[in-house]
Structures are given as structure tokens and as C-alpha cells.
Amino acid sequence: MKPFLFEIGVEELPARFIQPAKEGLLKLIDESLATAHIEHGAITIYGTPRRIVLLIDAVAETQKDVVTVKYGPPAARAFDAQGKPQPAATGFAKSQGVDVSELKIAKKDTNELVCVEKLEKGKNSLEVLPELLAGLVPRIPFPKKMRWGLGEFEFARPIQWLVCLLGESVIPLTVAGIRSGNTSRGHRFLAKGPVSITHPSQYVEELKAAYVVVNEEERLATMTEGIREIEGRAKGKAVTDEALIQEILYITEYPYALMGRFEAEYLDLPRAVLVNVMKGHQRYIPLEGPDGALLAAFIFFANTIPGDPEQVIRGNEKVLRARLADARFFFEEDRKVKLETLHDRLSAVVFHERLGNLKEKSERIKQIALFIGRSMGVDSQALIRASILLKADLLTHMVGEFPELQGVMGRMYALTQGEEKEIALSIEEHYYPVGTSGALPGSDLGTVMALSDKMDSLTAFFSVGITPTGNLDPFALRRQALGIIKIVVNRGLHIPLQELISVAYNALRANGKLALETVQQTLTDFISTRFKFSMIEEGHNQEFVNSVLPAASSDIYDGFMRLRALETQKSIEDFVRLMIGFKRVYNITKSLADTTEIDTGLLAEGEEQDLFQLYSTTKTPFLSAMNAREYEAALAILVGYKETIDRYFDKVFVMVEDERVRANRLALLTKIKDLFLTYGDFSKIRVEEISRASV
């Protein structure tokens, strides 16, 4: 086995493209090598703005030999009683290109079949890898791809060079007109000429000598060291977050930390504005003092070793000063205009060409909010006022220039204009959660407005047939559905989903709306699917999640409560036995409905009398527990069925010839099946899976 290197050199990649590309490449190469039967060691993927790098500790020099088995006709038809081949055997042997004497008999499932075993000798990896790699490159995932020149090849950015080595041997391949070799490129400004890669094991160090720190951990350590050194000099602390650090990591190949300053008078601007200007637009890292207040200083990274650091610092200070001056002007101008006045101007802002303007959206949000607010006991006047102000800051100068501050500026302006604190806070919170792990609304009013805004968007788009397809979700509908789920579960809200969709649907005035029933069905399925994926990602048992989806499609939090109760079952053995018993009941009765009354006079066997007695005495307590949402108690009642169901099937034959007895027994089992299905669709639970789960 030999070490392997594949470097794709490109024009500068956007920072946000690199991590998804690395993850996609790791999956692609692992699957491709497995399919090609090429054994390999540990895989490492690196990314910088100008390159995506695949390093493998060891790759086999030849494919594994593979024995394939081709099955033919049944042995009884292929050979007679004396073992002489029949036409079926000779025909199969001919089709496989072998002599009939090479045929074997093997058992497949429960059948004895004629088969032939073929040994496929593995090829040299140098023969296999060129085609494998050339086919892999265009499949690397990027948010967007482009074509260049006159070619049809698509990639995130034009490919400039390729390095491909197995040990010291160049693997010859061509991608987008670029031939592979052993020549890489170092830092765009600091390196002197091309970089010859002698061996994959030397790649990282040879690039480092050319001022490219390929190893992200090492690059991050350099950044961290620079931040710590400046923190000491400034007697402050860097205000960082993971997204900002990762972005800086992926826009630099040789990070060099510097500190700049700005006029203290700009500290009068709101902290959120200052932080956003520095982080969002300039990728600067703010500094704060021991008291938590921002300092008039910032950290930034040059992607080079500056010849004159002071000149670089002055240049960045000048850029930031201009941005801060703009922010101050916007802030002062915005405060001269009431949010309520801006609300009236929202009619000129299109939400979507088929779904009206933002003022109409605000009106729809109000109607949905009044529906949700009633169940939460939120003051209707506060809901109406919040609906008016909710989207107004989108027309402010500040949000127009810095869209990331939507909601934040609305809260600030509302407070300065004398609005109640809870109403002002709801303007910011109605956008929550921002991202999959973002904060959730903390106030009741903010919770109602967040749910209403998201439900309006979902229902409106689904009503005109605009839904996510594949990886395309331009209106972030998956994220909004997930936001609803997270909020509802976090706050423990029981909201009838079908009725909520109906309210949102009726609030929408749009031409060509789909029928309400269609929208309810498609949107419910969509939200249920997001619920399923969300719960599985959080570590909940997939079998249990599938079983509570019918409940979640009516009431998201109710489905979550049932799921949580399922996972409190202490005895795996008892629960598995219960599920085995239920499956036996379900398989016999799944196509039957509970329409027949039980004739107790036909219950001849003691075990079926016991089962009927158990059903009769537990039905009411079970349904009472379900109505009270006491799901652990309801499950305990169901678990209590296991012994009686086991004895029933051990002693009672259901499908007897006597039609009346058979129908009576099926009727009892149908009632028990329906009782279980009242809790969840236990038919979705595979016994072999829950026996491996922690319940």
C-alpha cells in the first residue's frame, strides 16, 4: 500500500463552499473506493481558498480479487436423477461462458439452484484510479457551480491545476482540460514559483514552505495564537463565534493577525450595530473590555506577511471608519421616522409576486396570531400592535444596508419610540430561531408572532404550489417548519395543526390557490417529515418516532409527548414481547374495522375470556389516560396485556371453521388492535430494532 494525494487547485472559493465540499468529497471517495474494491487507510480532507485536498494514508496498489456468484435454474430442473445435465443446465453454462462441469449447486433462501462462481482478478490501482477520480470531481457538492470558457464542465470555480500521486507515481487524468501532475502552487504573493510535490507524505510540509498552511488545525492554532497575543496587548477579550472563525479560516492560507482601532465616539452606536459592521461585512473580530463593553479596537487577519503592517492597519481602519460613519448616519435618520409610518409603506414591498406585499403579509400574521394567542392567553391588543410593527424595520436605512439586523433594529427603534418592552422584543423574536441551533423566543408574545410568521409563509407558498424540491429550498421553508417544531416542543404548546393551517389558508388572498384539503395534506406531510428528521437527529429512536407521526400530524407537541413516554419504558424485554403480541394481533386484523359487538356466549376458551375481561376492564382507564395525555400511564396499561395476549395465542386458534366463533374472535382482536393504535402506529415498530435500542 502507498500514500495517496489528490489536490484540486482553483480560483478563490467562497468560504461557505469549502466545508460542504469537504464533507461531500469524504463521502464520495469512501464510497468510490469501496465500490472499486480498493482497500485504503485513513482519509483526510483539507480545504483552503485555492485548493481542496484529499490525502489517504495508504491505498492498495491493486484491487481486491472478487468472487461473484451467478445463480441459474433450480437444480432439480438442471440435472436429472442420475446427475446428467439437462438443457436448462447447458443453456445456463453457455450463457455464462463456462463448461457445464463448472456448475455448482448452492442454496439460496430455501431453494437449491445451479450457480457458477467467477473470480475477477483485481486490476492495478493506477489503471482504476484515473477514471474513478475524473468521475468523482464533478460530483463534489457546492451551493452553486459555474462554467468557464467554452466548456460544459461545471465546478464551483475554474480549476487551475491538479496534483495526483500514488506514492511517487503520478496518476494521469484530465479534468476540465487540466492534466494532472506533481506540481502545485504556493501562496499567491509569498511563494516563488511552482511547488514540486515529491511524495504525498511530504505535501503538507512542502506547501508550508511555500507559505500555505494546508492543515486547518494548524491554521486555526495560528489564528488562536494571534488573537491571544492581541488580547494581551489590548487588555481585552475577542468577541468571536464559530461561524466567524470558520469563515476567516477559509479565506486565508497564511493567516497573520493584526489589530486596528477606531474613534471612541462610534461606541455610542448600539453594540449590535458595531458588532455586525465589524463581523458581517469586514470579518473583523470586535474586542471588549473586562466590563463587557466594546473597546474601540478590533482584530483582523491578513492573508500574507505584510511588508508594512502599519500601512495594512491604516487601510483597514479607513474602511471600517467609513462603514461606521454610514451606520451612524442611518441610525440617526431612522430614528426620525415612526415604525408605524413605515408599516403603511410596506404595501410597496412585494413579498412574492403571487402572494402579495409585506403589508398584506402583516395582516395575515395578525389573523393567525389572534388564533394562536387565544390558546396561550396572550392579550389581543398586544398581538395587533405587534403585527403592525413586525416588518416595519425592513424599510429602515439600517436594515437596508445591514439585512442581518432585521428585527434587532426594529426592537431598538420601537423602544426609543415608547412601545411596550414586550411588543418591542417580539419584533426581534419573531425571526427566531435563526439557524438550526439558534435561540428560541423567550416571551409569549414573541412565541406567537414567530409561529404566525412561519406558518403564514409555509401555508402561503404551499397554497400556490411552491414547495421545496430536492436540495432547492429558496424560501427556507424547511428551516421555517423546523422552527415551528422547535418552538412548539420547547414551549409545550398544543396547537391543532389542521385548524391552524385552515386559519392561515383563509387569511390568504391569492389567485389560483389550491384546495384547502390539498394544502392541509401536503403541508401536514411536510411538517411531519421535518418532525421525524428533527427527532431522529436529536437521538430519538427512529422506530418510536415513526409510530407517533400520526399524532404529531395533528398536534406536534402531543406527538412529542407520546414519543417521550415510549422512551421511558424500563423493560426492553417486556416491551419487545408486547410488540410481538401486538404484531400477531395486527397481522390477523389489519384489514378489519371495529364494527362487531362481542358475543360473550361464544367465548369458550378460558384464555379468550381472560383477554375479553382484560379489554373490558382496561378500555375506559386507558382512554381516560389518553384524553388526559397521561401517556406513561396509558402505556403501562398496554404493557399489561403482554402475558394475556401470549397465553391467548398459545391456546386459542382464531381461524376456526365455525364462522360465528371465528368472527367473534376476530372482533375481539380488532378492538384490541384499535385500542393500541389509539396511542400510536405500533405496526411501524420493528421488534428487532427496539430490542437493540435503549428504551
Side-chain angles (χ1 to χ4, degrees):
M1 300 183 81
K2 292 182 178 180
F4 170 82
L5 164 67
F6 186 41
E7 179 192 51
I8 307 170
V10 294
E11 292 183 7
E12 273 77 0
L13 290 166
R16 64 189 177 90
F17 282 24
I18 297 176
Q19 188 61 33
K22 287 176 54 184
E23 294 171 0
L25 178 55
L26 177 62
K27 182 179 179 182
L28 285 169
I29 190 63
D30 193 41
E31 291 174 350
S32 298
L33 291 175
T35 301
H37 306 295
I38 297 177
E39 295 182 324
H40 62 86
I43 300 173
T44 305
I45 312 288
Y46 293 127
T48 81
R50 298 183 69 207
R51 68 203 75 223
I52 296 174
V53 183
L54 165 62
L55 276 169
I56 307 179
D57 289 352
V59 170
E61 296 180 64
T62 58
Q63 294 175 296
K64 289 191 298 183
D65 295 341
V66 177
V67 176
T68 59
V69 180
K70 298 290 185 180
Y71 291 96
R77 191 157 57 86
F79 297 95
D80 64 16
Q82 287 72 43
K84 292 181 180 180
Q86 301 300 298
T90 55
F92 175 66
K94 184 177 180 181
S95 70
Q96 297 300 314
V98 299
D99 188 81
V100 72
S101 62
E102 297 179 56
L103 297 181
K104 298 181 179 180
I105 297 176
K107 198 163 189 177
K108 185 180 181 184
D109 299 328
T110 58
N111 302 313
E112 286 193 335
L113 304 176
V114 171
C115 71
V116 60
E117 294 181 353
K118 292 184 178 181
L119 174 65
E120 296 181 13
K121 294 289 291 182
K123 297 179 182 178
N124 190 299
S125 294
L126 286 173
E127 296 179 46
V128 179
L129 287 173
E131 183 178 354
L132 183 152
L133 295 168
L136 178 147
V137 174
R139 295 163 57 205
I140 297 174
F142 293 102
K144 293 181 180 179
K145 294 186 178 183
M146 62 179 290
R147 292 193 296 268
W148 57 94
L150 300 177
E152 293 297 315
F153 186 86
E154 292 187 341
F155 204 67
R157 290 294 184 268
I159 295 175
Q160 301 290 303
W161 74 90
L162 295 170
V163 177
C164 196
L165 297 174
L166 182 61
E168 296 178 352
S169 302
V170 172
I171 299 175
L173 69 143
T174 301
V175 177
I178 304 295
R179 289 184 60 82
S180 62
N182 67 341
T183 303
S184 182
R185 301 182 191 178
H187 194 281
R188 188 182 289 279
F189 306 115
L190 299 176
K192 297 178 181 179
V195 180
S196 294
I197 308 301
T198 57
H199 194 271
S201 61
Q202 301 300 313
Y203 171 78
V204 172
E205 291 303 317
E206 288 172 342
L207 263 290
K208 190 187 299 183
Y211 298 96
V212 175
V213 183
V214 175
N215 187 318
E216 282 123 308
E217 291 184 4
E218 188 174 343
R219 209 155 70 240
L220 182 59
T222 300
M223 289 170 53
T224 303
E225 183 181 345
I227 291 171
R228 297 292 173 262
E229 189 274 328
I230 292 174
E231 285 179 328
R233 276 196 285 136
K235 295 182 173 56
K237 181 181 178 183
V239 182
T240 62
D241 59 67
E242 185 178 345
L244 176 62
I245 292 297
Q246 180 162 302
E247 186 169 13
I248 296 171
L249 179 70
Y250 286 137
I251 61 173
T252 59
E253 291 195 320
Y254 197 86
Y256 190 94
L258 295 164
M259 181 176 72
R261 298 184 182 275
F262 57 88
E263 289 77 4
E265 63 190 66
Y266 288 116
L267 293 174
D268 292 339
L269 285 168
R271 179 187 175 102
V273 173
L274 287 168
V275 169
N276 182 266
V277 170
M278 285 188 268
K279 284 186 175 183
H281 285 262
Q282 306 307 132
R283 302 184 184 93
Y284 297 159
I285 299 175
L287 285 161
E288 63 182 13
D291 60 352
L294 289 179
L295 301 176
F298 61 96
I299 301 170
F300 69 98
F301 283 88
N303 185 28
T304 184
I305 302 174
D308 183 357
E310 289 303 319
Q311 183 179 358
V312 176
I313 291 170
R314 286 194 299 272
N316 281 270
E317 289 175 340
K318 182 179 179 180
V319 171
L320 181 59
R321 189 178 298 115
R323 301 292 290 175
L324 291 175
D326 288 345
R328 170 184 281 175
F329 172 77
F330 296 147
F331 187 60
E332 291 174 351
E333 288 297 304
D334 286 342
R335 289 192 293 178
K336 296 176 184 177
V337 182
K338 289 274 191 179
L339 289 177
E340 193 168 4
T341 302
L342 294 177
H343 168 74
D344 293 330
R345 301 178 191 170
L346 288 174
S347 58
V349 182
V350 175
F351 171 58
H352 185 273
E353 60 183 2
R354 297 177 62 186
L355 299 172
N357 56 58
L358 284 179
K359 189 173 182 181
E360 291 170 332
K361 179 175 175 62
S362 298
E363 177 61 29
R364 297 198 301 267
I365 290 172
K366 180 185 76 175
Q367 294 181 46
I368 300 169
L370 289 171
F371 170 75
I372 298 174
R374 280 195 293 272
S375 63
M376 292 182 60
V378 178
D379 178 60
S380 61
Q381 293 305 308
L383 291 170
I384 293 170
R385 185 62 180 169
S387 301
I388 292 172
L389 304 179
L390 212 58
K391 300 293 184 181
D393 72 341
L394 296 177
L395 290 179
T396 62
H397 294 88
M398 188 70 81
V399 175
E401 184 68 17
F402 307 109
E404 300 86 354
L405 292 174
Q406 63 182 5
V408 176
M409 299 313 303
R411 171 179 58 79
M412 292 181 185
Y413 294 146
L415 287 173
T416 61
Q417 293 170 13
E419 299 290 343
E420 293 182 12
K421 184 177 179 180
E422 188 182 28
I423 291 174
L425 180 60
S426 73
I427 298 173
E428 179 176 351
E429 288 189 333
H430 95 277
Y431 288 107
Y432 290 0
V434 179
T436 55
S437 58
L440 300 175
S443 68
D444 287 350
L445 183 59
T447 295
V448 174
M449 303 316 295
L451 290 172
S452 302
D453 181 37
K454 292 170 178 58
M455 182 52 68
D456 170 69
S457 294
L458 285 166
T459 306
F461 282 112
F462 271 72
S463 293
V464 295
I466 298 175
T467 61
T469 56
N471 292 327
L472 298 178
D473 187 11
F475 303 106
L477 300 182
R478 292 189 182 98
R479 179 169 58 80
Q480 298 198 57
L482 182 60
I484 289 174
I485 292 164
K486 287 182 175 292
I487 292 170
V488 165
V489 170
N490 176 259
R491 295 299 298 264
L493 301 176
H494 290 289
I495 302 174
L497 188 54
Q498 302 302 311
E499 192 174 350
L500 178 60
I501 294 172
S502 177
V503 170
Y505 177 90
N506 291 329
L508 176 67
R509 295 181 179 87
N511 293 326
K513 282 198 301 184
L514 300 173
L516 172 60
E517 294 75 13
T518 300
V519 177
Q520 285 178 319
Q521 182 63 52
T522 56
L523 184 49
T524 298
D525 290 346
F526 179 75
I527 293 173
S528 295
T529 300
R530 302 325 305 166
F531 175 84
K532 173 182 175 178
F533 291 151
S534 173
M535 293 298 106
I536 292 171
E537 286 174 7
E538 290 179 9
H540 295 283
N541 181 279
Q542 183 172 342
E543 304 294 310
F544 292 163
V545 174
N546 288 333
S547 73
V548 302
L549 286 181
S553 67
S554 298
D555 180 332
I556 293 169
Y557 186 62
D558 188 66
F560 177 76
M561 290 179 70
R562 296 182 191 214
L563 172 63
R564 190 170 54 189
L566 275 173
E567 294 180 330
T568 63
Q569 295 304 299
K570 298 299 189 295
S571 171
I572 296 175
E573 181 183 355
D574 283 355
F575 199 73
V576 169
R577 288 178 64 192
L578 172 65
M579 286 298 101
I580 292 172
F582 167 77
K583 287 295 179 69
R584 295 178 75 178
V585 171
Y586 180 80
N587 289 336
I588 294 176
T589 63
K590 57 186 174 183
S591 60
L592 302 178
D594 178 12
T595 58
T596 307
E597 291 301 318
I598 306 299
D599 184 347
T600 56
L602 295 176
L603 300 174
E605 304 291 341
E607 288 76 16
E608 62 181 329
Q609 293 171 3
D610 291 343
L611 187 57
F612 175 75
Q613 179 65 23
L614 179 61
Y615 170 77
S616 301
T617 57
T618 59
K619 178 182 177 181
T620 299
F622 172 78
L623 294 177
S624 296
M626 292 295 295
N627 290 333
R629 294 195 171 101
E630 296 172 352
Y631 293 128
E632 290 187 33
L635 275 177
I637 292 172
L638 295 184
V639 171
Y641 272 72
K642 62 183 178 63
E643 300 292 349
T644 308
I645 288 177
D646 288 345
R647 288 196 300 270
Y648 178 89
F649 281 107
D650 286 343
K651 301 294 183 181
V652 178
F653 179 58
V654 178
M655 307 304 286
V656 293
E657 291 186 10
D658 188 319
E659 184 177 340
R660 292 175 61 235
V661 173
R662 181 174 68 247
N664 201 53
R665 288 175 177 174
L666 287 172
L668 174 57
L669 295 178
T670 300
K671 291 180 183 299
I672 292 171
K673 173 201 69 177
D674 290 344
L675 193 72
F676 274 68
L677 293 179
T678 304
Y679 187 99
D681 188 355
F682 291 131
S683 68
K684 300 294 185 183
I685 296 178
R686 293 174 295 176
V687 174
E688 64 274 14
E689 291 296 327
I690 62 169
S691 64
R692 292 196 292 265
S694 297
V695 294

